[in-house]
Amino acid sequence: MASAHEAIRAGIRDGVFEADVLYSESEVAVGLGISRTPVREAMNELSREGLVEVLPQHGFRLRTLSAAEREEVFALRLAVEALAAERLAAAAGPAEIADLRR
């Protein structure tokens, strides 16, 4: 089984956890079929990574990105995706180029 950290991180990535919802350690632990301690440790680590906000005695919620952070994410994606497309196009053969043109 994956660690609590990996499982919760995957849940964040896959949309299992929603923005503006307060989650308790207990409900997450029950959902993962584990005790609260590994969930608490995972929440602290995810908080240090900037993915969640821990609200002592209440639980946690996903951290909302600021406008500047969103702009930075989009700029980074644009740079990475443009480079990837350029490299893929350079390595494409005639069949792949024909597929793209269709």
Side-chain angles (χ1 to χ4, degrees):
M1 172 166 182
S3 72
H5 178 267
E6 292 169 343
I8 296 167
R9 191 177 236 293
I12 292 169
R13 180 196 64 223
D14 298 341
V16 172
F17 296 99
E18 299 177 23
D20 299 322
V21 175
L22 188 62
Y23 296 95
S24 73
E25 289 175 3
S26 298
E27 73 180 316
V28 173
V30 168
L32 294 175
I34 59 176
S35 70
R36 289 176 40 199
T37 300
V39 171
R40 184 177 315 113
E41 291 169 358
M43 287 304 113
N44 289 330
E45 179 63 26
L46 292 165
S47 175
R48 284 190 290 276
E49 293 173 14
L51 294 175
V52 301
E53 292 178 276
V54 176
L55 304 163
Q57 307 299 319
H58 293 92
F60 74 95
R61 66 178 168 218
L62 298 183
R63 191 171 86 60
T64 303
L65 297 178
S66 68
E69 288 171 317
R70 284 192 301 274
E71 286 181 28
E72 183 178 359
V73 167
F74 286 119
L76 289 170
R77 281 190 64 184
L78 179 62
V80 169
E81 290 173 4
L83 178 62
E86 180 181 320
R87 287 189 176 175
L88 288 170
E96 289 90 5
I97 293 172
D99 285 343
L100 289 172
R101 290 194 178 168
R102 275 194 295 268

